[in-house]
Amino acid sequence: MVPRRRLLLGLILVLGAALRLVLYCSRPSLSIDETMLGLEIGTHSLAGLLQPLAYAQTGPPLFLWGIKLIASTAGMSEYALRAIPLATGLLIPFMMWRVGRRLLGEPAGLFAAALAALAPTLVQYSVIVKPYITDALFALTLASCTLDLLELPNARGVWLRLGLVGLLAAIGSVPAPFLLAGVTAAILLGVRPLEPAVTWRLVACLVMWGAAFLPPYAWVYRPVAVSEYMQQFWGASFFAPAQLEDWPLLGRSLVQALVARPMPLAVVPPVVALFGLGLWSVWRRCGRPVAALLGVPLLALLGASLVQRYPLSARLLLFVAPCLLLSCAASIDAAAAWRRGVGRVLGAVVVAAFAGINLTHPYRTPATRLAVAAVNQRAAPLEPIYVASGGIPAWAFYTTDWSAPDTGYLRWVSRWAGQPGAGAFHNSAARGHAVTTDEGRDLWMQRGGRQVLFGLGSGIQWREGRGFARPVIPDTGWAAREAERIRAAAAPTVWVLVANPYPTTVRDLFAALQIAGGVLETESAVGGVRVDRFRFTP
């Protein structure tokens, strides 16, 4: 590698690391999904994490165990919980360069590394306590091991390395079967002749990988995936090719696996065409085995989605992000070979788009940690606090002393707010009837000398791929019942914390509080979280 390219690679890796480290060190509050998973990690043993989790959460055992061990040593903080995603995100641009250089040559490999360093989705999920970014690293590591095997199919060390990485993927990545299907197809197409020793080694790997994947699938993933709530939540995200509207869903999901932001539908077709041209170019340049290595996981994904076993969602498709980035780099490299100027313009447009998204639309979460601290500081010792349903996971996480957690309290929170359909679960479907006068009667506790009320679920539900279920209004009587509960607890003031609200809920709740005699005395917003104080006249 010439010194100039070595320097460029160093700059790319430094830039990718800087984007991730700045975001990590800024310590954004945990998102609602992160707090729900964090509560489960903090309250379960290693064995307990192998059981179906509350809050409709799930994750591969290797990922959950790794975070649990780090958090047990370093403490339950954003830094500890996000350590594994960060380390993974830092490795991905380097691994992309290694794989891209082998497939496409050094210039295109450097460009692929630059795309991996800048891709907004890969940057964002490097600081999110979810296993999606590790899916991308497993995809690259398996690809690297498979390329080694295609070069030296009889080398025992190569098989041992592939077998071990595949085993780790089987217990560390939910979409591992898709990736391993690509590995298997590449070996079957690329190793000629297929000698008995190679066949037996491949069979042994497949048996080992399957034996490692099936237990977590049966005990951890499947109970959550087939639940009524998750089928409802993901129902509009499964791919049905006969439905014309599902093709834009597929294209948008693939593009958002790289950019993680909403976009006009008109942007999707040219970007998908860029992916398609790149896969075709890889096929032409690298042959069928490599094309299968990259393409079979995509086909397996579509097949699983077709039978409603894997939804199309940007975060769930991060395991194909390396394939998409390599395809993009191959397309632009092919364009540059045809017309150097065209290739340079296309490359500059893609890089500028990724950089622009990172600069103008950086990843942010509601500042729930700061909001919880603010309300606890501002509230008088005996003033009650009402926490709306969307803020309950963050409230439970950030008010817990994780050096000596109150497990009874956290179990109570999980009972009322951690199960779909429970009174305070934030995303339960509409009740189908008006809120009754006794709902929420048990949704309160004495904590730290004050009464804390947990909000009832409003009956507005978000569903992936479809948005909010219609109509987007709370269940009849919800706001009036919440205002009644808050007024009964007021002494004569009460603090109201609202995080992750759904449309119309804040407006309806505050209007009901005013009708009940409440006066908005203190109004503030902390990083997108409302922290308000109401006073009621006797």
Side-chain angles (χ1 to χ4, degrees):
M1 190 175 187
V2 299
R4 185 177 64 179
R5 289 177 179 171
R6 187 179 296 112
L7 175 62
L8 181 57
L9 174 62
L11 292 175
I12 289 170
L13 298 180
V14 168
L15 175 60
L19 287 172
R20 290 155 175 81
L21 288 170
V22 167
L23 192 55
Y24 176 80
C25 292
S26 69
R27 196 187 168 197
S29 298
L30 298 174
S31 67
I32 188 168
D33 274 352
E34 291 178 286
T35 51
M36 292 190 294
L37 186 59
L39 287 169
E40 293 299 281
I41 291 171
T43 55
H44 285 71
S45 64
L46 294 178
L49 291 172
L50 292 177
Q51 302 172 4
L53 304 179
Y55 300 98
Q57 294 296 303
T58 190
L62 189 63
F63 179 82
L64 298 178
W65 289 339
I67 293 180
K68 176 68 176 181
L69 292 173
I70 293 173
S72 298
T73 303
M76 287 285 291
S77 69
E78 292 92 340
Y79 294 133
L81 292 173
R82 291 168 172 158
I84 288 178
L86 175 68
T88 302
L90 293 173
L91 282 172
I92 281 178
F94 176 74
M95 289 299 298
M96 181 65 73
W97 170 73
R98 289 194 62 186
V99 174
R101 178 186 61 172
R102 295 180 69 174
L103 296 180
L104 308 174
E106 280 192 356
L110 286 170
F111 184 69
L115 295 182
L118 293 171
T121 305
L122 298 182
V123 173
Q124 173 177 325
Y125 281 94
S126 297
V127 291
I128 291 181
V129 191
K130 300 292 281 186
Y132 310 125
I133 192 69
T134 54
D135 295 338
L137 183 61
F138 275 121
L140 284 166
T141 309
L142 284 169
S144 180
C145 291
T146 305
L147 294 176
D148 289 341
L149 190 144
L150 293 176
E151 290 180 359
L152 299 169
N154 294 308
R156 181 177 299 179
V158 171
W159 277 100
L160 288 174
R161 188 160 57 249
L162 176 63
L164 177 60
V165 173
L167 178 63
L168 294 175
I171 59 175
S173 176
V174 175
F178 305 148
L179 298 171
L180 296 173
V183 170
T184 303
I187 294 172
L188 292 175
L189 291 172
V191 178
R192 289 289 183 269
L194 197 63
E195 299 176 354
V198 172
T199 302
W200 282 112
R201 287 172 180 174
L202 179 58
V203 170
C205 285
L206 292 174
V207 170
M208 178 176 63
W209 297 338
F213 181 80
L214 287 177
Y217 173 76
W219 299 335
V220 181
Y221 312 149
R222 191 176 187 279
V224 176
V226 301
S227 67
E228 180 182 357
Y229 171 76
M230 294 307 291
Q231 286 293 308
Q232 188 178 56
F233 182 83
W234 293 112
S237 299
F238 296 113
F239 182 62
Q243 298 181 15
L244 293 180
E245 63 270 19
D246 280 11
W247 289 95
L249 169 67
L250 172 61
R252 192 186 296 273
S253 299
L254 291 172
V255 177
Q256 287 184 333
L258 300 182
V259 300
R261 304 293 188 276
M263 70 194 72
L265 185 59
V267 174
V268 173
V271 177
V272 172
L274 199 66
F275 297 155
L277 175 62
L279 279 174
W280 178 78
S281 177
V282 169
W283 187 325
R284 289 283 304 274
R285 293 173 62 170
C286 304
R288 291 188 303 166
V290 172
L293 177 65
L294 300 181
V296 165
L298 280 169
L299 296 177
L301 160 68
L302 293 180
S305 189
L306 190 62
V307 296
Q308 298 193 328
R309 284 297 176 266
Y310 203 88
L312 299 178
S313 175
R315 60 186 180 276
L316 300 182
L317 301 189
L318 256 69
F319 74 96
V320 301
C323 167
L324 301 178
L325 291 174
L326 288 168
S327 299
C328 186
S331 290
I332 292 171
D333 190 54
W338 174 61
R339 291 286 190 276
R340 183 179 297 272
V342 173
R344 288 179 174 177
V345 169
L346 281 176
V349 167
V350 175
V351 168
F354 282 5
I357 292 171
N358 285 315
L359 291 174
T360 62
H361 295 82
Y363 173 65
R364 291 192 179 95
T365 60
T368 49
R369 182 186 70 254
L370 300 178
V372 169
V375 73
N376 276 319
Q377 290 171 359
R378 297 176 188 175
L382 298 180
E383 273 189 304
I385 298 172
Y386 169 88
V387 182
S389 60
I392 293 173
W395 177 268
F397 185 91
Y398 286 118
T399 58
T400 293
D401 177 4
W402 287 105
S403 63
D406 184 345
T407 55
Y409 166 66
L410 293 174
R411 282 196 299 267
W412 184 88
V413 175
S414 178
R415 173 191 172 192
W416 290 106
Q419 306 296 335
F425 188 72
H426 72 287
N427 199 45
S428 290
R431 294 167 174 78
H433 58 76
V435 176
T436 61
T437 56
D438 64 343
E439 284 194 59
R441 181 179 55 190
D442 299 320
L443 292 181
W444 65 276
M445 284 193 79
Q446 288 294 131
R447 294 277 293 171
R450 65 163 59 97
Q451 186 178 13
V452 179
L453 283 77
F454 282 178
L456 283 167
S458 65
I460 298 175
Q461 187 181 56
W462 169 267
R463 299 178 184 177
E464 192 75 15
R466 180 181 298 174
F468 290 104
R470 303 293 176 176
V472 192
I473 56 175
D475 288 337
T476 303
W478 171 81
R481 175 56 182 156
E482 293 295 82
E484 178 187 358
R485 295 176 60 222
I486 293 170
R487 179 183 174 87
T493 56
V494 61
W495 286 88
V496 175
L497 185 148
V498 181
N500 305 298
Y502 284 169
T504 74
T505 52
V506 174
R507 181 198 67 194
D508 290 1
L509 176 61
F510 281 29
L513 288 170
Q514 292 177 349
I515 292 172
V519 176
L520 182 58
E521 191 173 74
T522 302
E523 181 178 9
S524 61
V526 180
V529 182
R530 293 198 62 126
V531 177
D532 302 297
R533 186 183 191 219
F534 281 83
R535 178 178 294 275
F536 290 84
T537 55

PDB file of all heavy atoms in Angstrom, residues 42 71-77 397 399-407 410:
ATOM      1  N   GLY A  42     -30.145  -4.833  33.817  1.00  0.00           N
ATOM      2  CA  GLY A  42     -29.798  -4.515  35.193  1.00  0.00           C
ATOM      3  C   GLY A  42     -30.458  -5.399  36.224  1.00  0.00           C
ATOM      4  O   GLY A  42     -29.959  -5.516  37.351  1.00  0.00           O
ATOM      5  N   ALA A  71     -21.454  -3.878  32.523  1.00  0.00           N
ATOM      6  CA  ALA A  71     -22.219  -3.056  33.449  1.00  0.00           C
ATOM      7  C   ALA A  71     -22.030  -3.505  34.894  1.00  0.00           C
ATOM      8  O   ALA A  71     -22.031  -2.682  35.817  1.00  0.00           O
ATOM      9  CB  ALA A  71     -23.699  -3.090  33.071  1.00  0.00           C
ATOM     10  N   SER A  72     -21.866  -4.795  35.116  1.00  0.00           N
ATOM     11  CA  SER A  72     -21.641  -5.296  36.477  1.00  0.00           C
ATOM     12  C   SER A  72     -20.300  -4.824  37.022  1.00  0.00           C
ATOM     13  O   SER A  72     -20.141  -4.641  38.231  1.00  0.00           O
ATOM     14  CB  SER A  72     -21.692  -6.825  36.482  1.00  0.00           C
ATOM     15  OG  SER A  72     -22.954  -7.293  36.083  1.00  0.00           O
ATOM     16  N   THR A  73     -19.350  -4.603  36.108  1.00  0.00           N
ATOM     17  CA  THR A  73     -18.015  -4.165  36.527  1.00  0.00           C
ATOM     18  C   THR A  73     -17.912  -2.653  36.604  1.00  0.00           C
ATOM     19  O   THR A  73     -17.391  -2.101  37.581  1.00  0.00           O
ATOM     20  CB  THR A  73     -16.951  -4.691  35.541  1.00  0.00           C
ATOM     21  OG1 THR A  73     -17.037  -6.112  35.474  1.00  0.00           O
ATOM     22  CG2 THR A  73     -15.562  -4.276  35.974  1.00  0.00           C
ATOM     23  N   ALA A  74     -18.414  -1.967  35.582  1.00  0.00           N
ATOM     24  CA  ALA A  74     -18.239  -0.518  35.479  1.00  0.00           C
ATOM     25  C   ALA A  74     -19.434   0.277  35.977  1.00  0.00           C
ATOM     26  O   ALA A  74     -19.347   1.496  36.084  1.00  0.00           O
ATOM     27  CB  ALA A  74     -17.943  -0.141  34.021  1.00  0.00           C
ATOM     28  N   GLY A  75     -20.556  -0.390  36.259  1.00  0.00           N
ATOM     29  CA  GLY A  75     -21.742   0.321  36.707  1.00  0.00           C
ATOM     30  C   GLY A  75     -22.734   0.529  35.582  1.00  0.00           C
ATOM     31  O   GLY A  75     -22.360   0.591  34.405  1.00  0.00           O
ATOM     32  N   MET A  76     -23.992   0.664  35.964  1.00  0.00           N
ATOM     33  CA  MET A  76     -25.070   0.834  34.977  1.00  0.00           C
ATOM     34  C   MET A  76     -25.146   2.291  34.526  1.00  0.00           C
ATOM     35  O   MET A  76     -25.888   3.103  35.099  1.00  0.00           O
ATOM     36  CB  MET A  76     -26.395   0.384  35.591  1.00  0.00           C
ATOM     37  CG  MET A  76     -26.526  -1.111  35.748  1.00  0.00           C
ATOM     38  SD  MET A  76     -26.852  -1.942  34.176  1.00  0.00           S
ATOM     39  CE  MET A  76     -28.516  -1.369  33.860  1.00  0.00           C
ATOM     40  N   SER A  77     -24.378   2.613  33.528  1.00  0.00           N
ATOM     41  CA  SER A  77     -24.388   3.958  32.968  1.00  0.00           C
ATOM     42  C   SER A  77     -24.495   3.860  31.464  1.00  0.00           C
ATOM     43  O   SER A  77     -24.334   2.786  30.880  1.00  0.00           O
ATOM     44  CB  SER A  77     -23.110   4.707  33.344  1.00  0.00           C
ATOM     45  OG  SER A  77     -21.994   4.137  32.679  1.00  0.00           O
ATOM     46  N   PHE A 397     -35.323   3.797  35.294  1.00  0.00           N
ATOM     47  CA  PHE A 397     -33.881   3.597  35.124  1.00  0.00           C
ATOM     48  C   PHE A 397     -33.089   4.673  35.853  1.00  0.00           C
ATOM     49  O   PHE A 397     -32.138   4.369  36.588  1.00  0.00           O
ATOM     50  CB  PHE A 397     -33.512   3.584  33.643  1.00  0.00           C
ATOM     51  CG  PHE A 397     -32.072   3.253  33.385  1.00  0.00           C
ATOM     52  CD1 PHE A 397     -31.686   1.941  33.190  1.00  0.00           C
ATOM     53  CD2 PHE A 397     -31.095   4.241  33.349  1.00  0.00           C
ATOM     54  CE1 PHE A 397     -30.346   1.612  32.974  1.00  0.00           C
ATOM     55  CE2 PHE A 397     -29.759   3.928  33.130  1.00  0.00           C
ATOM     56  CZ  PHE A 397     -29.396   2.610  32.942  1.00  0.00           C
ATOM     57  N   THR A 399     -33.944   6.800  38.243  1.00  0.00           N
ATOM     58  CA  THR A 399     -34.162   6.996  39.681  1.00  0.00           C
ATOM     59  C   THR A 399     -33.712   5.793  40.487  1.00  0.00           C
ATOM     60  O   THR A 399     -33.917   5.753  41.705  1.00  0.00           O
ATOM     61  CB  THR A 399     -35.644   7.275  39.973  1.00  0.00           C
ATOM     62  OG1 THR A 399     -36.447   6.192  39.483  1.00  0.00           O
ATOM     63  CG2 THR A 399     -36.096   8.584  39.334  1.00  0.00           C
ATOM     64  N   THR A 400     -33.115   4.809  39.838  1.00  0.00           N
ATOM     65  CA  THR A 400     -32.627   3.620  40.535  1.00  0.00           C
ATOM     66  C   THR A 400     -31.159   3.788  40.904  1.00  0.00           C
ATOM     67  O   THR A 400     -30.343   4.209  40.086  1.00  0.00           O
ATOM     68  CB  THR A 400     -32.809   2.374  39.647  1.00  0.00           C
ATOM     69  OG1 THR A 400     -34.197   2.105  39.488  1.00  0.00           O
ATOM     70  CG2 THR A 400     -32.138   1.164  40.275  1.00  0.00           C
ATOM     71  N   ASP A 401     -30.848   3.461  42.147  1.00  0.00           N
ATOM     72  CA  ASP A 401     -29.460   3.394  42.584  1.00  0.00           C
ATOM     73  C   ASP A 401     -28.950   2.020  42.184  1.00  0.00           C
ATOM     74  O   ASP A 401     -29.185   1.021  42.869  1.00  0.00           O
ATOM     75  CB  ASP A 401     -29.380   3.586  44.102  1.00  0.00           C
ATOM     76  CG  ASP A 401     -27.954   3.460  44.637  1.00  0.00           C
ATOM     77  OD1 ASP A 401     -27.022   3.308  43.807  1.00  0.00           O
ATOM     78  OD2 ASP A 401     -27.781   3.485  45.864  1.00  0.00           O
ATOM     79  N   TRP A 402     -28.229   1.954  41.079  1.00  0.00           N
ATOM     80  CA  TRP A 402     -27.835   0.670  40.528  1.00  0.00           C
ATOM     81  C   TRP A 402     -26.735  -0.004  41.330  1.00  0.00           C
ATOM     82  O   TRP A 402     -26.436  -1.186  41.091  1.00  0.00           O
ATOM     83  CB  TRP A 402     -27.427   0.832  39.067  1.00  0.00           C
ATOM     84  CG  TRP A 402     -28.613   1.071  38.184  1.00  0.00           C
ATOM     85  CD1 TRP A 402     -28.986   2.250  37.613  1.00  0.00           C
ATOM     86  CD2 TRP A 402     -29.599   0.108  37.812  1.00  0.00           C
ATOM     87  NE1 TRP A 402     -30.150   2.088  36.902  1.00  0.00           N
ATOM     88  CE2 TRP A 402     -30.553   0.784  36.999  1.00  0.00           C
ATOM     89  CE3 TRP A 402     -29.783  -1.239  38.071  1.00  0.00           C
ATOM     90  CZ2 TRP A 402     -31.658   0.137  36.449  1.00  0.00           C
ATOM     91  CZ3 TRP A 402     -30.885  -1.887  37.533  1.00  0.00           C
ATOM     92  CH2 TRP A 402     -31.809  -1.208  36.731  1.00  0.00           C
ATOM     93  N   SER A 403     -26.146   0.698  42.295  1.00  0.00           N
ATOM     94  CA  SER A 403     -25.201   0.018  43.179  1.00  0.00           C
ATOM     95  C   SER A 403     -25.929  -0.858  44.193  1.00  0.00           C
ATOM     96  O   SER A 403     -25.350  -1.809  44.727  1.00  0.00           O
ATOM     97  CB  SER A 403     -24.331   1.041  43.919  1.00  0.00           C
ATOM     98  OG  SER A 403     -25.132   1.878  44.756  1.00  0.00           O
ATOM     99  N   ALA A 404     -27.205  -0.530  44.457  1.00  0.00           N
ATOM    100  CA  ALA A 404     -28.033  -1.345  45.350  1.00  0.00           C
ATOM    101  C   ALA A 404     -29.481  -1.212  44.884  1.00  0.00           C
ATOM    102  O   ALA A 404     -30.304  -0.571  45.530  1.00  0.00           O
ATOM    103  CB  ALA A 404     -27.886  -0.892  46.800  1.00  0.00           C
ATOM    104  N   PRO A 405     -29.826  -1.777  43.719  1.00  0.00           N
ATOM    105  CA  PRO A 405     -31.147  -1.550  43.126  1.00  0.00           C
ATOM    106  C   PRO A 405     -32.271  -2.131  43.972  1.00  0.00           C
ATOM    107  O   PRO A 405     -32.127  -3.196  44.584  1.00  0.00           O
ATOM    108  CB  PRO A 405     -31.049  -2.260  41.769  1.00  0.00           C
ATOM    109  CG  PRO A 405     -29.959  -3.263  41.929  1.00  0.00           C
ATOM    110  CD  PRO A 405     -28.986  -2.672  42.894  1.00  0.00           C
ATOM    111  N   ASP A 406     -33.384  -1.402  43.999  1.00  0.00           N
ATOM    112  CA  ASP A 406     -34.599  -1.865  44.669  1.00  0.00           C
ATOM    113  C   ASP A 406     -35.329  -2.798  43.702  1.00  0.00           C
ATOM    114  O   ASP A 406     -36.151  -2.367  42.889  1.00  0.00           O
ATOM    115  CB  ASP A 406     -35.468  -0.664  45.037  1.00  0.00           C
ATOM    116  CG  ASP A 406     -36.707  -1.045  45.829  1.00  0.00           C
ATOM    117  OD1 ASP A 406     -37.054  -2.243  45.858  1.00  0.00           O
ATOM    118  OD2 ASP A 406     -37.348  -0.138  46.406  1.00  0.00           O
ATOM    119  N   THR A 407     -35.008  -4.069  43.773  1.00  0.00           N
ATOM    120  CA  THR A 407     -35.557  -5.018  42.807  1.00  0.00           C
ATOM    121  C   THR A 407     -37.068  -5.167  42.941  1.00  0.00           C
ATOM    122  O   THR A 407     -37.751  -5.419  41.945  1.00  0.00           O
ATOM    123  CB  THR A 407     -34.883  -6.388  42.964  1.00  0.00           C
ATOM    124  OG1 THR A 407     -35.008  -6.824  44.322  1.00  0.00           O
ATOM    125  CG2 THR A 407     -33.403  -6.299  42.603  1.00  0.00           C
ATOM    126  N   LEU A 410     -38.517  -2.330  40.934  1.00  0.00           N
ATOM    127  CA  LEU A 410     -38.350  -2.538  39.498  1.00  0.00           C
ATOM    128  C   LEU A 410     -39.264  -3.652  38.987  1.00  0.00           C
ATOM    129  O   LEU A 410     -39.764  -3.581  37.858  1.00  0.00           O
ATOM    130  CB  LEU A 410     -36.896  -2.843  39.173  1.00  0.00           C
ATOM    131  CG  LEU A 410     -35.922  -1.672  39.421  1.00  0.00           C
ATOM    132  CD1 LEU A 410     -34.489  -2.109  39.214  1.00  0.00           C
ATOM    133  CD2 LEU A 410     -36.259  -0.482  38.528  1.00  0.00           C
TER     134      LEU A 410
END
